[in-house]
Amino acid sequence: MVDGSVLEIDGVSKRYGDVRALVDMGFSVRPGELFGFVGANGAGKTTTMRIVLGVLAADSGEVRLDGRPVDAERRRRIGYMPEERGLYPRMAVGEQLRYLAELHGLSAGDARRSTERWTERLGVAGRLGDEVQKLSLGNQQRVQLAAALVHEPDVLVLDEPFSGLDPVAVDVMSEVLRERCAAGAPAVFSSHQLDLVERLCDRVGIVRDGALVAEGTVDGLRAGAGTDVVVDAPQARPGWADAVPGVVTSRTEGERTVVTLEPGADDQPLLHAALATGPVHGFSRRRTTLTELFRHTVADHPEAAPESPEEAA
Amino acid sequence: MSVPRPLRTVALIARREFLSRVRGRAFVISTVVILVVLVGYALFVGSLGAGSSGGRAVAVAPETAALVPALQAVAADQGRTVTVVPVPDDAQGRQRLAAGDVDAALSGSPARPRVDVDQSLSDDLQAILTPATARAAQEQALTARGVDPAVLTTAAAGSAPVVVAARPEDPAQGLRIGLGAVGAFLLFFSIQTYGAMVAQGVVEEKSSRVVELVLATVRPWQLLLGKVLGLGAVGLLQLVILGAVGLAVAGSAGLLVAGVGLVGTLISVLVWYLLGFAMYATIYAALGSLVSRQEDTQSVLTPVSIVVLIGWVVGFNLVLSAPRSPALTVLSLIPPWSPLTMPARVALGGVPVWQVALAFVLTLAFTAGVLLLGGRIYARSVLRTGARVSLRSALRD
């Protein structure tokens, strides 16, 4: 059913008055791929997702599914979780999920079965007859996730799906995401929890000021960003490593110095320089975390993205 | 699939709106309240009529007894009855008055009697006493000049103005006015109530943010149309229930007069309701989409509510007081007010067909414009949460 679904965002631009929210935004998500979408607040993640769902219209560019522009019919196959959570507060959980499933084109019978299956899976099956507003916030989040999945979508677009979830729900959510991808669905999700993104995603895109500034596997981004070496040389003076060939930056963390080397640079000259300052108690390469990669990417451009009012809305 | 997708979506939305309202307590309560109001109104009007035809009782002292024939003759002329209670003297007359047995106690000269009353002389009794005393005075004067008072009575008996009406009043005019007033009230109530519900529903979707989830699979026009249809159907159901109960009550009370055009009135009320509701509900939905919080809904709806209220209050009063006035005719031809006033005029009868047709066409055109503009405003502002969206920015670009 989902074989071959590719989600492509191609050259999408969007302005709000004088604010350029998206500038030639583009990336594609292959079948069975989990794509992590990270960026500061106001960078354009939510705007991109809203455009994918047709909730907002792009000024230019195109969103394609299976190589065809996304129309109403294709859009029904997308499961969406908006950043601003929302359900009908005075409607019962079961009735609400069935309604949303039917709006996405399921028959009444399929909608009922799917509602039962997902509420069972997400642990809210006992609350089918309760109004949403009577549920705890955690359970409302689970219903929200069920609302994104109840029509058995072939594509997932989830805006901050982990925010506000308890650890158990985070595990369920991660499991569901992996499972949908294993079934061949492309999935995009945005998150500020970069450790989660690093752990879950096949590929990551970093957004800044409405454009994708880095894209690839975490390992690939890491390779491009150079290597961090942690040196424990207590007698070294600040700035001792700056003149060593291959060093990009160095900073002190307590007694230790963290030195970033150019991609592919030899670390032995650094070791010699360290030994020249006195005793060396430690010298180790450190895997760059996504958080550090993200910080580097954003720090390259000091003009931090201002939060546009539309993004906050 | 036999039904096209977009329409099936609209039907799903309409069904949700309809079911969630009809199953709610508010629907049952409001239906019962209107029924009580309408029945109360009918009883009130009925009691006014009953009160005016009730008889009066007066105590008459012996020296005033000469007034009695004139009193009863005048009362008979006016279609009223006056019960005369003879008393031995004026003091006893006042006692009967204090006991509440009589409405007035007469004593003294028949031409200038003293009238004792509890607080004030009632209008109908005054209307009988004044000509009766005048007549007693005339008879006294004629008798003093040796003329038989019977001459006067005979002469007066044959006199009467002959009235020729250019447009004879319909004998069922009262019933027609009542029908028109009730129809106008029902339309006003339904449009206000269910129109406001459309706005509330729009704001609820915005404030709970569920609108983004829905609009990810539904076009704004489908959501708007489904809402208007669903709530319009709720209002229609209520109108039909009220109409049916009203007809049953009127039938059992023997108020139904053949040829008054009850069925025609009902149909015209329903048709004008559909048109009026489509128009106002769209306006309300568009205005509702401008705000994000339930507290702001009222302020944004007020200007239109006032337009509706003016149309109804002015129209309702004209229907009752001046059903054939040019003011009512003009009011019923202006689109925002046609649905509120034209059905009442139709109930009154005698409306030229061209006026009904003109009002209908104008309202239809106006509604089409409202749908176009309102749908545009709605689609542009329904996703803009936060501060109130100005009408101008909702319409720009």
Side-chain angles (χ1 to χ4, degrees):
Chain A
M1 52 159 202
V2 286
D3 289 336
S5 286
V6 183
L7 178 67
E8 293 168 275
I9 287 100
D10 187 8
V12 171
S13 297
K14 174 79 184 172
R15 301 181 76 99
Y16 295 113
D18 295 333
V19 183
R20 298 200 307 174
L22 291 182
V23 188
D24 198 22
M25 167 66 72
F27 60 92
S28 62
V29 189
R30 291 184 280 270
E33 189 173 62
L34 192 47
F35 188 86
F37 207 35
V38 301
N41 288 330
K45 304 185 298 288
T46 296
T47 302
T48 305
M49 292 188 172
R50 284 181 163 179
I51 286 172
V52 170
L53 268 301
V55 167
L56 271 181
D59 295 338
S60 60
E62 196 172 59
V63 179
R64 288 186 294 268
L65 195 56
D66 302 332
R68 299 273 186 77
V70 173
D71 55 11
E73 203 53 46
R74 287 190 173 76
R75 203 163 272 137
R76 285 171 192 283
R77 294 165 41 204
I78 305 179
Y80 179 46
M81 194 159 165
E83 184 189 23
E84 301 276 4
R85 308 290 192 255
L87 296 164
Y88 287 101
R90 275 187 286 274
M91 203 173 174
V93 171
E95 200 184 333
Q96 178 139 229
L97 291 175
R98 286 196 298 275
Y99 172 62
L100 289 170
E102 284 191 64
L103 276 188
H104 282 87
L106 260 61
S107 70
D110 288 344
R112 186 170 41 79
R113 281 185 288 278
S114 181
T115 298
E116 280 166 15
R117 188 164 57 248
W118 281 109
T119 47
E120 193 71 49
R121 174 84 192 272
L122 294 166
V124 283
R127 312 303 298 270
L128 279 175
D130 291 341
E131 287 182 359
V132 168
Q133 62 183 359
K134 297 202 171 122
L135 267 55
S136 68
L137 217 54
N139 278 337
Q140 287 189 17
Q141 290 278 23
R142 288 161 192 254
V143 177
Q144 192 81 50
L145 179 58
L149 297 166
V150 73
H151 58 287
E152 308 292 351
D154 301 340
V155 179
L156 290 178
V157 176
L158 311 174
D159 203 350
E160 297 283 349
F162 292 103
S163 83
L165 291 191
D166 62 68
V168 180
V170 167
D171 287 346
V172 175
M173 182 87 195
S174 313
E175 199 183 309
V176 168
L177 273 175
R178 284 212 197 85
E179 189 186 282
R180 299 307 292 179
C181 287
V188 189
F189 78 92
S190 68
S191 182
H192 289 305
Q193 284 150 281
L194 299 177
D195 52 326
L196 255 169
V197 176
E198 188 172 356
R199 212 167 66 221
L200 283 173
C201 289
D202 302 305
R203 282 198 308 138
V204 175
I206 300 178
V207 209
R208 200 196 50 237
D209 298 341
L212 208 63
V213 288
E215 182 198 355
T217 61
V218 177
D219 282 339
L221 291 178
R222 209 176 260 144
T227 318
D228 278 0
V229 178
V230 183
V231 183
D232 185 359
Q235 290 175 22
R237 288 192 170 77
W240 62 272
D242 290 352
V244 178
V247 169
V248 182
T249 61
S250 73
R251 60 187 185 279
T252 52
E253 282 180 6
E255 294 220 317
R256 288 185 287 257
T257 314
V258 179
V259 182
T260 306
L261 293 176
E262 282 171 10
D266 186 6
D267 56 8
Q268 294 308 304
L270 182 66
L271 178 59
H272 287 299
L275 284 168
T277 67
V280 175
H281 299 309
F283 186 89
S284 58
R285 296 176 79 102
R286 187 167 73 180
R287 279 167 62 88
T288 321
T289 62
L290 181 59
T291 311
E292 284 164 326
L293 285 172
F294 177 69
R295 229 175 249 139
H296 287 315
T297 318
V298 174
D300 284 349
H301 304 260
E303 77 287 13
E307 188 157 338
S308 72
E310 284 81 5
E311 186 79 16
Chain B
M1 197 163 300
S2 54
V3 184
R5 220 347 124 41
L7 294 185
R8 182 176 176 245
T9 301
V10 171
L12 277 170
I13 295 165
R15 190 186 67 183
R16 191 197 88 84
E17 297 288 343
F18 182 81
L19 289 179
S20 65
R21 295 295 178 179
V22 168
R23 285 187 304 204
R25 230 177 327 162
F27 177 74
V28 179
I29 291 175
S30 71
T31 308
V32 171
V33 166
I34 307 170
L35 272 181
V36 169
V37 167
L38 286 183
V39 170
Y41 173 73
L43 289 180
F44 175 68
V45 170
S47 73
L48 281 185
S52 60
S53 63
R56 299 283 179 186
V58 288
V60 181
E63 71 271 21
T64 326
L67 186 58
V68 171
L71 200 62
Q72 274 168 344
V74 171
D77 283 351
Q78 294 185 3
R80 299 173 205 265
T81 52
V82 172
T83 311
V84 174
V85 182
V87 286
D89 56 45
D90 56 337
Q92 292 213 18
R94 282 190 287 278
Q95 273 174 21
R96 299 294 293 265
L97 178 70
D101 295 340
V102 294
D103 298 293
L106 305 184
S107 56
S109 147
R112 204 174 164 71
R114 164 177 169 163
V115 184
D116 285 294
V117 294
D118 182 29
Q119 283 186 320
S120 66
L121 188 59
S122 68
D123 288 345
D124 52 339
L125 211 46
Q126 172 131 37
I128 296 169
L129 276 175
T130 308
T133 46
R135 196 148 153 176
Q138 284 166 0
E139 282 174 11
Q140 260 181 5
L142 289 173
T143 312
R145 281 164 182 74
V147 183
D148 182 3
V151 174
L152 184 70
T153 315
T154 316
S159 70
V162 180
V163 178
V164 180
R167 294 180 303 172
E169 197 185 25
D170 182 342
Q173 179 76 1
L175 191 52
R176 282 179 185 278
I177 289 179
L179 264 178
V182 168
F185 169 76
L186 285 180
L187 278 166
F188 165 74
F189 178 85
S190 302
I191 287 172
Q192 275 297 68
T193 308
Y194 293 98
M197 273 191 195
V198 170
Q200 271 169 19
V202 168
V203 179
E204 186 189 39
E205 280 175 352
K206 261 188 100 169
S207 65
S208 71
R209 320 271 177 157
V210 73
V211 67
E212 186 169 348
L213 195 62
V214 175
L215 287 185
T217 183
V218 166
R219 307 318 310 148
W221 70 264
Q222 293 174 317
L223 188 54
L224 180 61
L225 186 60
K227 255 184 192 320
V228 171
L229 288 180
L231 285 170
V234 179
L236 191 64
L237 176 69
Q238 191 168 49
L239 270 185
V240 168
I241 291 176
L242 292 174
V245 173
L247 280 184
V249 168
S252 66
L255 278 174
L256 289 189
V257 180
V260 174
L262 259 180
V263 176
T265 301
L266 221 72
I267 291 172
S268 107
V269 165
L270 291 183
V271 168
W272 280 104
Y273 164 74
L274 291 179
L275 202 54
F277 184 80
M279 178 171 83
Y280 282 108
T282 309
I283 295 176
Y284 282 162
L287 292 176
S289 72
L290 298 176
V291 299
S292 307
R293 297 182 308 158
Q294 216 56 267
E295 306 92 275
D296 298 334
T297 318
Q298 208 47 55
S299 69
V300 84
L301 295 188
T302 301
V304 182
S305 297
I306 288 174
V307 171
V308 178
L309 199 66
I310 288 174
W312 181 61
V313 169
V314 175
F316 192 81
N317 282 306
L318 286 177
V319 165
L320 290 181
S321 60
R324 307 213 178 269
S325 63
L328 186 60
T329 306
V330 170
L331 201 65
S332 71
L333 290 176
I334 301 175
W337 293 316
S338 296
L340 293 164
T341 46
M342 192 48 105
R345 285 192 64 207
V346 171
L348 292 174
V351 184
V353 175
W354 69 266
Q355 285 187 7
V356 180
L358 179 64
F360 193 80
V361 168
L362 283 179
T363 309
L364 211 59
F366 189 79
T367 305
V370 160
L371 281 172
L372 216 66
L373 204 65
R376 202 174 145 96
I377 294 171
Y378 176 82
R380 275 151 192 266
S381 44
V382 74
L383 278 167
R384 290 166 68 174
T385 49
R388 178 177 163 177
V389 182
S390 74
L391 258 184
R392 210 174 41 182
S393 79
L395 283 170
R396 215 176 33 200
D397 62 56

